[in-house]
Amino acid sequence: MNKYYIICNLNGEITAANEYSEFQNTNGLAEFYASQGLTAVEVSEEDYLVLRASTVDDTHYFDGTAFVQIPTKPSEYHHFDF
């Protein structure tokens, strides 16, 4: 069974999405990312498919306990401040 991780920086911005097969060792993964100033959050496959789009489009952020959808931009000139 595959494992899915969303990687976030200290501001909650999603910076990466990683999928690991059942044959890959993920022991110590959270500690490794923490040493880089990042947070690795294991998510379900369904959540992974939605959240990985945030690595390009900023659709969600991590508030420290859960992933939250970013509100719609008022215009194309606005940018979400993490």
Side-chain angles (χ1 to χ4, degrees), residues 3 19-27:
K3 292 185 178 183
E19 177 180 355
Y20 297 93
S21 76
E22 61 185 299
F23 303 108
Q24 293 175 295
N25 185 355
T26 58
N27 291 337

Side-chain angles (χ1 to χ4, degrees), residues 28-61:
L29 186 72
E31 292 81 9
F32 168 76
Y33 280 111
S35 73
Q36 306 298 312
L38 301 168
T39 302
V41 182
E42 186 173 359
V43 297
S44 69
E45 182 177 8
E46 294 80 23
D47 288 340
Y48 174 79
L49 294 173
V50 171
L51 295 170
R52 73 178 177 179
S54 269
T55 60
V56 175
D57 295 328
D58 291 334
T59 59
H60 292 77
Y61 69 95

